[in-house]
Amino acid sequence: MNLNNYNSEDKVLLAVDCIIFGFDGEDLKILLIKRNFEPERGKWSLIGGFLKREETLHDAASRILNYLTGLDHIYMEQFYSFSEVNRDPGERTVSVSYYALINIEDHNEQLNKEFSAEWFSVSEMPNLIFDHNQMVDMAIKRLRYRASTKPIGFELLPEKFTMKQLQKLYESILNTKLDKRNFISKINGLDILIRLDEKETESSKRGSYLHTFDKEKYSKKTNEGFVFKI
Amino acid sequence: MNLNNYNSEDKVLLAVDCIIFGFDGEDLKILLIKRNFEPERGKWSLIGGFLKREETLHDAASRILNYLTGLDHIYMEQFYSFSEVNRDPGERTVSVSYYALINIEDHNEQLNKEFSAEWFSVSEMPNLIFDHNQMVDMAIKRLRYRASTKPIGFELLPEKFTMKQLQKLYESILNTKLDKRNFISKINGLDILIRLDEKETESSKRGSYLHTFDKEKYSKKTNEGFVFKI
DNA sequence: TCAAAAGTGTTCACCGTACACCCATGG
DNA sequence: CCATGGGTGTACGGTGAACACTTTTGA
C-alpha cells in the first residue's frame, strides 16, 4: 500500500444514483424509471448515470436530474456510497447516492412518458434492481433527519401552500400523525412563514390561508443563532 | 447518457481516507501521518489507500486501518465522498471518507514510529494535504451527531472507565462544558452502565468507581424501543 | 488537619403533548 | 340551515439546566 504509484491501482466505474422525492398533497413519492436495457431490463430502477472525468459528483447528480426532469437548481444531498462487489452484475461499479427534492408541479409530465417514469408512494415501493431498495430506505431516513433540522420541506411544496399541506407533508416524511393545533403553533413559533392575504378555496368552502417560506428571515435568524427544529 | 454501454464510461481511482479518533483522557485526538512520498511529501495527511477491485469500501477501510494500527474490528462509519476534479494533483481521484474510533491504549505505539504518525488534538489540527481538513471537519460533525444518538463513545474508552472520564470524553466530542451532576444523573438514567466494585485511585485519594458499558442490556433495551439520547 | 477530587438532590422554567369548541362559507 | 373543513388556547407532566455541600482519604 503505497500512495506514490497511482498507476498500479485499480480503477472503477463510479455511478451516481438519485432518489427523487416529490409530494402530491397526500403521500411522499419517489420517481422511478422502467429500465429499457440490460441487465435487468423491464425492472424498476432509480435514475442514475456515470461520473465523467471532468465533473464532480454534485455536477453529475445535477446533470442526471436535469436530464430526467428538465429542472435546474434542484435541492439535493449526497448521503452514501454503495460498493458491494457484485452489486451491479454488468460490471464492478461503486454507486454514490443522492436524494433530491422537487416540487411535483414543476416537473414536466411529458418527460415521464419519454423515460417510462412513474411516481410511487414510499409505502408502496416495487422491487428495484440491484441495491436500489436499500438506497431508498437510507434516503428516507436521511430525509427524515434533515427535514427535522433544516427547512427543506418547502422544496417539496409549491411556492404558496396551506398549513394543512405543510402538515400533511411532515406527516408523510416522518410517517406519523401530528396534532393540528400543536403543529401549527410550533410552525408559527418558528416565525419563518409569511401568511398571505390569499386563500386557497378548492378544498373547503371557507378557504384556507396560503403561506410562503420567508427565506430571508430564515437566513437572518439562522445567522443570529436560531436553530430550526421540528 | 445510456447505461447500457458500460465500456464507454470513464473510470476513476477510488481512494478511501480514514479519520482515526482517539481520546487520551483530556482531548479528542486524530491520528495523522507525515507523507513520505510525492505529491505533498512531508505534509500531514489522513491515512488512506485505494479501493481494490475485489473488496468493498468497508473492507478497504478495515484493511487500511489495520495496516496502520494493527487493530481489527474497529468501529467505523462512512460519511461522505469527495470529488473535486483537482483535489488530488497526482491524478483524478474520488475519495470516500470514513471515521474510525479506537481505544488509544490498544493502539501500538511502535506503529506510529514506523509511519511517522502522531496524535493531534482536534483543536490543534495542522494544515493537511488536499481536502483533508474539510474531511476532518465533517467527520467531527458526524461523530458529534452519532455520539449523541448511539453509545459509540465507549469505543474510545478503555473497557473500564470512571464517570469523570466519560464526561470529559463527551465534553471533548461536543466541545462544551457539562455539569457533573446533570451529566451523571442523565447517564444513570439511561441504565446501560455497570458500576464495578473496583476503584481507580490514580487521580484521587478517595478513588472513583470504575464502570463498564453493558452491551447486552443496551441491545435488549434497544429492542424494546429504548432510544439512546445524550 | 487540610487539600483535592468524588459523590449526591432539588428547584424552576420551558417544551411537548393531549385535548374540544367556535367560525366561515357554499350549497 | 347545515355540513364541512379552518382556525384557535389551555392545562399538565416531563425534561433540561442551574446550582452547593458533604465525604473520603493520603499526605
Side-chain angles (χ1 to χ4, degrees), chain B residues 179-182 186 199 205-207 229:
Chain B
D179 179 84
K180 180 171 55 158
R181 289 158 290 183
N182 291 339
K186 187 171 223 168
K199 286 196 167 189
K205 296 161 184 173
R206 181 174 172 180
K229 185 84 189 63

PDB file of all heavy atoms in Angstrom, chain B residues 179-182 186 199 205-207 229, chain D residues 16-20 23-27:
ATOM      1  N   ASP B 179     -22.344  19.952  33.175  1.00  0.00           N
ATOM      2  CA  ASP B 179     -22.470  19.943  34.629  1.00  0.00           C
ATOM      3  C   ASP B 179     -22.376  18.515  35.131  1.00  0.00           C
ATOM      4  O   ASP B 179     -23.095  17.625  34.680  1.00  0.00           O
ATOM      5  CB  ASP B 179     -23.805  20.562  35.031  1.00  0.00           C
ATOM      6  CG  ASP B 179     -23.997  20.558  36.528  1.00  0.00           C
ATOM      7  OD1 ASP B 179     -23.501  21.482  37.192  1.00  0.00           O
ATOM      8  OD2 ASP B 179     -24.606  19.600  37.051  1.00  0.00           O
ATOM      9  N   LYS B 180     -21.473  18.315  36.099  1.00  0.00           N
ATOM     10  CA  LYS B 180     -21.199  16.963  36.605  1.00  0.00           C
ATOM     11  C   LYS B 180     -22.467  16.258  37.086  1.00  0.00           C
ATOM     12  O   LYS B 180     -22.727  15.102  36.729  1.00  0.00           O
ATOM     13  CB  LYS B 180     -20.184  17.064  37.752  1.00  0.00           C
ATOM     14  CG  LYS B 180     -19.806  15.745  38.364  1.00  0.00           C
ATOM     15  CD  LYS B 180     -18.627  15.875  39.355  1.00  0.00           C
ATOM     16  CE  LYS B 180     -18.867  16.886  40.463  1.00  0.00           C
ATOM     17  NZ  LYS B 180     -17.986  16.597  41.653  1.00  0.00           N
ATOM     18  N   ARG B 181     -23.255  16.955  37.904  1.00  0.00           N
ATOM     19  CA  ARG B 181     -24.442  16.304  38.478  1.00  0.00           C
ATOM     20  C   ARG B 181     -25.477  15.970  37.413  1.00  0.00           C
ATOM     21  O   ARG B 181     -26.032  14.876  37.382  1.00  0.00           O
ATOM     22  CB  ARG B 181     -25.066  17.217  39.536  1.00  0.00           C
ATOM     23  CG  ARG B 181     -24.244  17.310  40.771  1.00  0.00           C
ATOM     24  CD  ARG B 181     -24.551  18.563  41.545  1.00  0.00           C
ATOM     25  NE  ARG B 181     -24.081  19.758  40.855  1.00  0.00           N
ATOM     26  CZ  ARG B 181     -24.184  20.973  41.346  1.00  0.00           C
ATOM     27  NH1 ARG B 181     -24.787  21.171  42.512  1.00  0.00           N
ATOM     28  NH2 ARG B 181     -23.720  22.012  40.678  1.00  0.00           N
ATOM     29  N   ASN B 182     -25.682  16.900  36.495  1.00  0.00           N
ATOM     30  CA  ASN B 182     -26.652  16.638  35.432  1.00  0.00           C
ATOM     31  C   ASN B 182     -26.180  15.516  34.533  1.00  0.00           C
ATOM     32  O   ASN B 182     -26.959  14.634  34.162  1.00  0.00           O
ATOM     33  CB  ASN B 182     -26.883  17.900  34.605  1.00  0.00           C
ATOM     34  CG  ASN B 182     -27.608  18.972  35.388  1.00  0.00           C
ATOM     35  OD1 ASN B 182     -28.278  18.670  36.386  1.00  0.00           O
ATOM     36  ND2 ASN B 182     -27.471  20.203  34.963  1.00  0.00           N
ATOM     37  N   LYS B 186     -28.069  11.918  34.137  1.00  0.00           N
ATOM     38  CA  LYS B 186     -28.548  11.539  32.814  1.00  0.00           C
ATOM     39  C   LYS B 186     -28.016  10.149  32.428  1.00  0.00           C
ATOM     40  O   LYS B 186     -28.771   9.272  32.007  1.00  0.00           O
ATOM     41  CB  LYS B 186     -28.063  12.558  31.787  1.00  0.00           C
ATOM     42  CG  LYS B 186     -28.639  12.362  30.413  1.00  0.00           C
ATOM     43  CD  LYS B 186     -28.281  13.547  29.546  1.00  0.00           C
ATOM     44  CE  LYS B 186     -29.436  14.010  28.697  1.00  0.00           C
ATOM     45  NZ  LYS B 186     -29.181  15.316  28.088  1.00  0.00           N
ATOM     46  N   LYS B 199     -12.162   0.404  42.142  1.00  0.00           N
ATOM     47  CA  LYS B 199     -11.965   1.843  42.068  1.00  0.00           C
ATOM     48  C   LYS B 199     -10.656   2.165  41.364  1.00  0.00           C
ATOM     49  O   LYS B 199      -9.704   1.383  41.402  1.00  0.00           O
ATOM     50  CB  LYS B 199     -11.958   2.457  43.460  1.00  0.00           C
ATOM     51  CG  LYS B 199     -13.326   2.525  44.105  1.00  0.00           C
ATOM     52  CD  LYS B 199     -13.317   3.473  45.282  1.00  0.00           C
ATOM     53  CE  LYS B 199     -14.752   3.786  45.717  1.00  0.00           C
ATOM     54  NZ  LYS B 199     -14.778   4.882  46.717  1.00  0.00           N
ATOM     55  N   LYS B 205      -7.320  10.609  45.952  1.00  0.00           N
ATOM     56  CA  LYS B 205      -7.063   9.821  47.162  1.00  0.00           C
ATOM     57  C   LYS B 205      -8.246   8.924  47.484  1.00  0.00           C
ATOM     58  O   LYS B 205      -8.088   7.778  47.888  1.00  0.00           O
ATOM     59  CB  LYS B 205      -6.796  10.783  48.317  1.00  0.00           C
ATOM     60  CG  LYS B 205      -5.547  11.604  48.079  1.00  0.00           C
ATOM     61  CD  LYS B 205      -5.503  12.842  48.948  1.00  0.00           C
ATOM     62  CE  LYS B 205      -4.255  13.660  48.577  1.00  0.00           C
ATOM     63  NZ  LYS B 205      -4.224  14.964  49.247  1.00  0.00           N
ATOM     64  N   ARG B 206      -9.394   9.493  47.275  1.00  0.00           N
ATOM     65  CA  ARG B 206     -10.611   8.751  47.627  1.00  0.00           C
ATOM     66  C   ARG B 206     -10.850   7.599  46.654  1.00  0.00           C
ATOM     67  O   ARG B 206     -11.381   6.566  47.038  1.00  0.00           O
ATOM     68  CB  ARG B 206     -11.792   9.720  47.601  1.00  0.00           C
ATOM     69  CG  ARG B 206     -13.101   9.090  47.967  1.00  0.00           C
ATOM     70  CD  ARG B 206     -14.157  10.168  48.060  1.00  0.00           C
ATOM     71  NE  ARG B 206     -15.470   9.603  48.222  1.00  0.00           N
ATOM     72  CZ  ARG B 206     -16.571  10.326  48.324  1.00  0.00           C
ATOM     73  NH1 ARG B 206     -16.489  11.650  48.266  1.00  0.00           N
ATOM     74  NH2 ARG B 206     -17.746   9.759  48.472  1.00  0.00           N
ATOM     75  N   GLY B 207     -10.466   7.801  45.426  1.00  0.00           N
ATOM     76  CA  GLY B 207     -10.706   6.790  44.381  1.00  0.00           C
ATOM     77  C   GLY B 207     -12.094   6.946  43.809  1.00  0.00           C
ATOM     78  O   GLY B 207     -13.009   7.417  44.483  1.00  0.00           O
ATOM     79  N   LYS B 229     -30.034   8.732  23.955  1.00  0.00           N
ATOM     80  CA  LYS B 229     -30.063  10.170  23.641  1.00  0.00           C
ATOM     81  C   LYS B 229     -29.261  10.907  24.681  1.00  0.00           C
ATOM     82  O   LYS B 229     -29.565  10.825  25.872  1.00  0.00           O
ATOM     83  CB  LYS B 229     -31.525  10.648  23.639  1.00  0.00           C
ATOM     84  CG  LYS B 229     -31.712  12.083  23.224  1.00  0.00           C
ATOM     85  CD  LYS B 229     -31.758  12.205  21.714  1.00  0.00           C
ATOM     86  CE  LYS B 229     -31.718  13.671  21.290  1.00  0.00           C
ATOM     87  NZ  LYS B 229     -30.456  14.350  21.688  1.00  0.00           N
TER      88      LYS B 229
ATOM     89  P    DG D  16     -33.852  15.632  28.787  1.00  0.00           P
ATOM     90  OP1  DG D  16     -33.297  15.216  27.478  1.00  0.00           O
ATOM     91  OP2  DG D  16     -33.513  14.902  30.023  1.00  0.00           O
ATOM     92  O5'  DG D  16     -33.491  17.179  29.007  1.00  0.00           O
ATOM     93  C5'  DG D  16     -33.862  18.135  28.031  1.00  0.00           C
ATOM     94  C4'  DG D  16     -33.329  19.486  28.451  1.00  0.00           C
ATOM     95  O4'  DG D  16     -34.020  19.914  29.644  1.00  0.00           O
ATOM     96  C3'  DG D  16     -31.844  19.503  28.808  1.00  0.00           C
ATOM     97  O3'  DG D  16     -31.291  20.751  28.386  1.00  0.00           O
ATOM     98  C2'  DG D  16     -31.840  19.329  30.320  1.00  0.00           C
ATOM     99  C1'  DG D  16     -33.110  20.058  30.731  1.00  0.00           C
ATOM    100  N9   DG D  16     -33.778  19.517  31.923  1.00  0.00           N
ATOM    101  C8   DG D  16     -33.940  18.203  32.271  1.00  0.00           C
ATOM    102  N7   DG D  16     -34.597  18.038  33.394  1.00  0.00           N
ATOM    103  C5   DG D  16     -34.892  19.337  33.795  1.00  0.00           C
ATOM    104  C6   DG D  16     -35.583  19.799  34.937  1.00  0.00           C
ATOM    105  O6   DG D  16     -36.108  19.142  35.844  1.00  0.00           O
ATOM    106  N1   DG D  16     -35.653  21.188  34.969  1.00  0.00           N
ATOM    107  C2   DG D  16     -35.116  22.022  34.020  1.00  0.00           C
ATOM    108  N2   DG D  16     -35.271  23.329  34.216  1.00  0.00           N
ATOM    109  N3   DG D  16     -34.468  21.604  32.953  1.00  0.00           N
ATOM    110  C4   DG D  16     -34.391  20.257  32.906  1.00  0.00           C
ATOM    111  P    DA D  17     -29.785  21.138  28.835  1.00  0.00           P
ATOM    112  OP1  DA D  17     -29.207  21.898  27.711  1.00  0.00           O
ATOM    113  OP2  DA D  17     -29.117  19.916  29.341  1.00  0.00           O
ATOM    114  O5'  DA D  17     -29.968  22.146  30.059  1.00  0.00           O
ATOM    115  C5'  DA D  17     -30.712  23.351  29.875  1.00  0.00           C
ATOM    116  C4'  DA D  17     -30.533  24.213  31.101  1.00  0.00           C
ATOM    117  O4'  DA D  17     -31.290  23.639  32.199  1.00  0.00           O
ATOM    118  C3'  DA D  17     -29.092  24.303  31.596  1.00  0.00           C
ATOM    119  O3'  DA D  17     -28.839  25.635  32.016  1.00  0.00           O
ATOM    120  C2'  DA D  17     -29.033  23.320  32.752  1.00  0.00           C
ATOM    121  C1'  DA D  17     -30.449  23.374  33.296  1.00  0.00           C
ATOM    122  N9   DA D  17     -30.897  22.132  33.903  1.00  0.00           N
ATOM    123  C8   DA D  17     -30.636  20.852  33.473  1.00  0.00           C
ATOM    124  N7   DA D  17     -31.175  19.913  34.226  1.00  0.00           N
ATOM    125  C5   DA D  17     -31.846  20.630  35.205  1.00  0.00           C
ATOM    126  C6   DA D  17     -32.619  20.239  36.302  1.00  0.00           C
ATOM    127  N6   DA D  17     -32.865  18.960  36.605  1.00  0.00           N
ATOM    128  N1   DA D  17     -33.142  21.209  37.082  1.00  0.00           N
ATOM    129  C2   DA D  17     -32.904  22.486  36.770  1.00  0.00           C
ATOM    130  N3   DA D  17     -32.185  22.980  35.762  1.00  0.00           N
ATOM    131  C4   DA D  17     -31.682  21.988  35.012  1.00  0.00           C
ATOM    132  P    DA D  18     -27.336  26.076  32.353  1.00  0.00           P
ATOM    133  OP1  DA D  18     -27.004  27.180  31.434  1.00  0.00           O
ATOM    134  OP2  DA D  18     -26.482  24.863  32.420  1.00  0.00           O
ATOM    135  O5'  DA D  18     -27.482  26.678  33.826  1.00  0.00           O
ATOM    136  C5'  DA D  18     -28.590  27.531  34.128  1.00  0.00           C
ATOM    137  C4'  DA D  18     -28.816  27.513  35.621  1.00  0.00           C
ATOM    138  O4'  DA D  18     -29.417  26.247  35.992  1.00  0.00           O
ATOM    139  C3'  DA D  18     -27.529  27.638  36.438  1.00  0.00           C
ATOM    140  O3'  DA D  18     -27.619  28.770  37.306  1.00  0.00           O
ATOM    141  C2'  DA D  18     -27.435  26.324  37.222  1.00  0.00           C
ATOM    142  C1'  DA D  18     -28.862  25.806  37.214  1.00  0.00           C
ATOM    143  N9   DA D  18     -28.962  24.351  37.237  1.00  0.00           N
ATOM    144  C8   DA D  18     -28.371  23.465  36.376  1.00  0.00           C
ATOM    145  N7   DA D  18     -28.638  22.206  36.639  1.00  0.00           N
ATOM    146  C5   DA D  18     -29.462  22.273  37.748  1.00  0.00           C
ATOM    147  C6   DA D  18     -30.092  21.268  38.517  1.00  0.00           C
ATOM    148  N6   DA D  18     -29.971  19.961  38.273  1.00  0.00           N
ATOM    149  N1   DA D  18     -30.845  21.670  39.559  1.00  0.00           N
ATOM    150  C2   DA D  18     -30.961  22.977  39.809  1.00  0.00           C
ATOM    151  N3   DA D  18     -30.420  24.014  39.164  1.00  0.00           N
ATOM    152  C4   DA D  18     -29.674  23.582  38.134  1.00  0.00           C
ATOM    153  P    DC D  19     -26.331  29.370  38.027  1.00  0.00           P
ATOM    154  OP1  DC D  19     -26.589  30.790  38.306  1.00  0.00           O
ATOM    155  OP2  DC D  19     -25.153  28.942  37.261  1.00  0.00           O
ATOM    156  O5'  DC D  19     -26.337  28.579  39.415  1.00  0.00           O
ATOM    157  C5'  DC D  19     -27.518  28.579  40.212  1.00  0.00           C
ATOM    158  C4'  DC D  19     -27.372  27.554  41.285  1.00  0.00           C
ATOM    159  O4'  DC D  19     -27.750  26.246  40.778  1.00  0.00           O
ATOM    160  C3'  DC D  19     -25.933  27.394  41.811  1.00  0.00           C
ATOM    161  O3'  DC D  19     -25.872  27.616  43.208  1.00  0.00           O
ATOM    162  C2'  DC D  19     -25.574  25.970  41.469  1.00  0.00           C
ATOM    163  C1'  DC D  19     -26.957  25.307  41.457  1.00  0.00           C
ATOM    164  N1   DC D  19     -26.971  24.013  40.738  1.00  0.00           N
ATOM    165  C2   DC D  19     -27.749  22.979  41.247  1.00  0.00           C
ATOM    166  O2   DC D  19     -28.431  23.174  42.257  1.00  0.00           O
ATOM    167  N3   DC D  19     -27.730  21.768  40.623  1.00  0.00           N
ATOM    168  C4   DC D  19     -26.965  21.608  39.533  1.00  0.00           C
ATOM    169  N4   DC D  19     -26.974  20.413  38.957  1.00  0.00           N
ATOM    170  C5   DC D  19     -26.164  22.657  39.012  1.00  0.00           C
ATOM    171  C6   DC D  19     -26.199  23.836  39.631  1.00  0.00           C
ATOM    172  P    DA D  20     -24.440  27.807  43.924  1.00  0.00           P
ATOM    173  OP1  DA D  20     -24.094  29.227  43.997  1.00  0.00           O
ATOM    174  OP2  DA D  20     -23.487  26.860  43.311  1.00  0.00           O
ATOM    175  O5'  DA D  20     -24.786  27.280  45.390  1.00  0.00           O
ATOM    176  C5'  DA D  20     -25.702  26.201  45.557  1.00  0.00           C
ATOM    177  C4'  DA D  20     -25.271  25.339  46.714  1.00  0.00           C
ATOM    178  O4'  DA D  20     -24.852  24.034  46.196  1.00  0.00           O
ATOM    179  C3'  DA D  20     -24.087  25.837  47.550  1.00  0.00           C
ATOM    180  O3'  DA D  20     -24.327  25.466  48.897  1.00  0.00           O
ATOM    181  C2'  DA D  20     -22.908  25.068  46.965  1.00  0.00           C
ATOM    182  C1'  DA D  20     -23.566  23.727  46.685  1.00  0.00           C
ATOM    183  N9   DA D  20     -22.905  22.875  45.699  1.00  0.00           N
ATOM    184  C8   DA D  20     -22.047  23.263  44.702  1.00  0.00           C
ATOM    185  N7   DA D  20     -21.612  22.261  43.968  1.00  0.00           N
ATOM    186  C5   DA D  20     -22.231  21.157  44.517  1.00  0.00           C
ATOM    187  C6   DA D  20     -22.192  19.790  44.205  1.00  0.00           C
ATOM    188  N6   DA D  20     -21.471  19.289  43.200  1.00  0.00           N
ATOM    189  N1   DA D  20     -22.933  18.953  44.971  1.00  0.00           N
ATOM    190  C2   DA D  20     -23.647  19.454  45.966  1.00  0.00           C
ATOM    191  N3   DA D  20     -23.775  20.716  46.356  1.00  0.00           N
ATOM    192  C4   DA D  20     -23.028  21.520  45.589  1.00  0.00           C
ATOM    193  P    DT D  23     -20.869  14.331  55.696  1.00  0.00           P
ATOM    194  OP1  DT D  23     -21.713  13.330  56.389  1.00  0.00           O
ATOM    195  OP2  DT D  23     -19.978  15.237  56.449  1.00  0.00           O
ATOM    196  O5'  DT D  23     -19.993  13.561  54.617  1.00  0.00           O
ATOM    197  C5'  DT D  23     -20.663  12.757  53.629  1.00  0.00           C
ATOM    198  C4'  DT D  23     -19.613  11.991  52.853  1.00  0.00           C
ATOM    199  O4'  DT D  23     -18.879  12.902  52.000  1.00  0.00           O
ATOM    200  C3'  DT D  23     -18.580  11.282  53.726  1.00  0.00           C
ATOM    201  O3'  DT D  23     -18.393   9.989  53.192  1.00  0.00           O
ATOM    202  C2'  DT D  23     -17.336  12.139  53.583  1.00  0.00           C
ATOM    203  C1'  DT D  23     -17.492  12.680  52.169  1.00  0.00           C
ATOM    204  N1   DT D  23     -16.835  13.970  51.881  1.00  0.00           N
ATOM    205  C2   DT D  23     -15.987  14.075  50.792  1.00  0.00           C
ATOM    206  O2   DT D  23     -15.738  13.142  50.060  1.00  0.00           O
ATOM    207  N3   DT D  23     -15.449  15.323  50.609  1.00  0.00           N
ATOM    208  C4   DT D  23     -15.664  16.459  51.374  1.00  0.00           C
ATOM    209  O4   DT D  23     -15.127  17.526  51.094  1.00  0.00           O
ATOM    210  C5   DT D  23     -16.546  16.277  52.489  1.00  0.00           C
ATOM    211  C7   DT D  23     -16.849  17.428  53.380  1.00  0.00           C
ATOM    212  C6   DT D  23     -17.096  15.066  52.702  1.00  0.00           C
ATOM    213  P    DT D  24     -17.777   8.841  54.110  1.00  0.00           P
ATOM    214  OP1  DT D  24     -18.522   7.600  53.832  1.00  0.00           O
ATOM    215  OP2  DT D  24     -17.650   9.396  55.488  1.00  0.00           O
ATOM    216  O5'  DT D  24     -16.308   8.680  53.527  1.00  0.00           O
ATOM    217  C5'  DT D  24     -16.156   8.252  52.185  1.00  0.00           C
ATOM    218  C4'  DT D  24     -14.779   8.620  51.731  1.00  0.00           C
ATOM    219  O4'  DT D  24     -14.624  10.051  51.736  1.00  0.00           O
ATOM    220  C3'  DT D  24     -13.653   8.091  52.631  1.00  0.00           C
ATOM    221  O3'  DT D  24     -13.041   7.034  51.916  1.00  0.00           O
ATOM    222  C2'  DT D  24     -12.723   9.299  52.851  1.00  0.00           C
ATOM    223  C1'  DT D  24     -13.237  10.315  51.839  1.00  0.00           C
ATOM    224  N1   DT D  24     -13.119  11.757  52.180  1.00  0.00           N
ATOM    225  C2   DT D  24     -12.436  12.584  51.311  1.00  0.00           C
ATOM    226  O2   DT D  24     -11.899  12.186  50.294  1.00  0.00           O
ATOM    227  N3   DT D  24     -12.396  13.909  51.695  1.00  0.00           N
ATOM    228  C4   DT D  24     -12.975  14.461  52.827  1.00  0.00           C
ATOM    229  O4   DT D  24     -12.883  15.660  53.052  1.00  0.00           O
ATOM    230  C5   DT D  24     -13.680  13.539  53.672  1.00  0.00           C
ATOM    231  C7   DT D  24     -14.333  14.044  54.918  1.00  0.00           C
ATOM    232  C6   DT D  24     -13.720  12.237  53.322  1.00  0.00           C
ATOM    233  P    DT D  25     -12.120   5.982  52.677  1.00  0.00           P
ATOM    234  OP1  DT D  25     -12.130   4.715  51.914  1.00  0.00           O
ATOM    235  OP2  DT D  25     -12.454   6.009  54.127  1.00  0.00           O
ATOM    236  O5'  DT D  25     -10.683   6.644  52.478  1.00  0.00           O
ATOM    237  C5'  DT D  25     -10.264   6.978  51.151  1.00  0.00           C
ATOM    238  C4'  DT D  25      -9.086   7.899  51.223  1.00  0.00           C
ATOM    239  O4'  DT D  25      -9.503   9.251  51.535  1.00  0.00           O
ATOM    240  C3'  DT D  25      -8.058   7.516  52.296  1.00  0.00           C
ATOM    241  O3'  DT D  25      -6.788   7.503  51.697  1.00  0.00           O
ATOM    242  C2'  DT D  25      -8.139   8.653  53.299  1.00  0.00           C
ATOM    243  C1'  DT D  25      -8.504   9.809  52.360  1.00  0.00           C
ATOM    244  N1   DT D  25      -9.048  11.013  53.020  1.00  0.00           N
ATOM    245  C2   DT D  25      -8.720  12.260  52.500  1.00  0.00           C
ATOM    246  O2   DT D  25      -8.016  12.419  51.536  1.00  0.00           O
ATOM    247  N3   DT D  25      -9.261  13.322  53.173  1.00  0.00           N
ATOM    248  C4   DT D  25     -10.085  13.269  54.294  1.00  0.00           C
ATOM    249  O4   DT D  25     -10.509  14.293  54.790  1.00  0.00           O
ATOM    250  C5   DT D  25     -10.380  11.940  54.774  1.00  0.00           C
ATOM    251  C7   DT D  25     -11.242  11.772  55.991  1.00  0.00           C
ATOM    252  C6   DT D  25      -9.859  10.886  54.132  1.00  0.00           C
ATOM    253  P    DG D  26      -5.813   6.278  51.961  1.00  0.00           P
ATOM    254  OP1  DG D  26      -6.270   5.125  51.164  1.00  0.00           O
ATOM    255  OP2  DG D  26      -5.587   6.141  53.412  1.00  0.00           O
ATOM    256  O5'  DG D  26      -4.502   6.875  51.277  1.00  0.00           O
ATOM    257  C5'  DG D  26      -4.636   7.544  50.016  1.00  0.00           C
ATOM    258  C4'  DG D  26      -3.729   8.763  49.980  1.00  0.00           C
ATOM    259  O4'  DG D  26      -4.337   9.870  50.677  1.00  0.00           O
ATOM    260  C3'  DG D  26      -2.359   8.543  50.613  1.00  0.00           C
ATOM    261  O3'  DG D  26      -1.402   9.171  49.772  1.00  0.00           O
ATOM    262  C2'  DG D  26      -2.475   9.233  51.979  1.00  0.00           C
ATOM    263  C1'  DG D  26      -3.477  10.348  51.704  1.00  0.00           C
ATOM    264  N9   DG D  26      -4.334  10.705  52.830  1.00  0.00           N
ATOM    265  C8   DG D  26      -4.894   9.851  53.750  1.00  0.00           C
ATOM    266  N7   DG D  26      -5.645  10.469  54.636  1.00  0.00           N
ATOM    267  C5   DG D  26      -5.573  11.812  54.272  1.00  0.00           C
ATOM    268  C6   DG D  26      -6.177  12.944  54.867  1.00  0.00           C
ATOM    269  O6   DG D  26      -6.925  12.997  55.833  1.00  0.00           O
ATOM    270  N1   DG D  26      -5.827  14.109  54.183  1.00  0.00           N
ATOM    271  C2   DG D  26      -5.015  14.174  53.097  1.00  0.00           C
ATOM    272  N2   DG D  26      -4.805  15.372  52.595  1.00  0.00           N
ATOM    273  N3   DG D  26      -4.443  13.119  52.527  1.00  0.00           N
ATOM    274  C4   DG D  26      -4.760  11.971  53.170  1.00  0.00           C
ATOM    275  P    DA D  27       0.086   9.044  49.979  1.00  0.00           P
ATOM    276  OP1  DA D  27       0.692   8.802  48.665  1.00  0.00           O
ATOM    277  OP2  DA D  27       0.324   8.109  51.105  1.00  0.00           O
ATOM    278  O5'  DA D  27       0.478  10.514  50.442  1.00  0.00           O
ATOM    279  C5'  DA D  27       0.088  11.628  49.620  1.00  0.00           C
ATOM    280  C4'  DA D  27       0.337  12.910  50.384  1.00  0.00           C
ATOM    281  O4'  DA D  27      -0.669  13.059  51.419  1.00  0.00           O
ATOM    282  C3'  DA D  27       1.696  12.950  51.104  1.00  0.00           C
ATOM    283  O3'  DA D  27       2.331  14.197  50.867  1.00  0.00           O
ATOM    284  C2'  DA D  27       1.347  12.794  52.580  1.00  0.00           C
ATOM    285  C1'  DA D  27      -0.033  13.417  52.635  1.00  0.00           C
ATOM    286  N9   DA D  27      -0.866  12.912  53.727  1.00  0.00           N
ATOM    287  C8   DA D  27      -0.989  11.617  54.143  1.00  0.00           C
ATOM    288  N7   DA D  27      -1.805  11.448  55.158  1.00  0.00           N
ATOM    289  C5   DA D  27      -2.255  12.735  55.431  1.00  0.00           C
ATOM    290  C6   DA D  27      -3.142  13.239  56.390  1.00  0.00           C
ATOM    291  N6   DA D  27      -3.776  12.472  57.283  1.00  0.00           N
ATOM    292  N1   DA D  27      -3.374  14.563  56.384  1.00  0.00           N
ATOM    293  C2   DA D  27      -2.742  15.327  55.483  1.00  0.00           C
ATOM    294  N3   DA D  27      -1.882  14.963  54.536  1.00  0.00           N
ATOM    295  C4   DA D  27      -1.686  13.639  54.563  1.00  0.00           C
TER     296       DA D  27
END
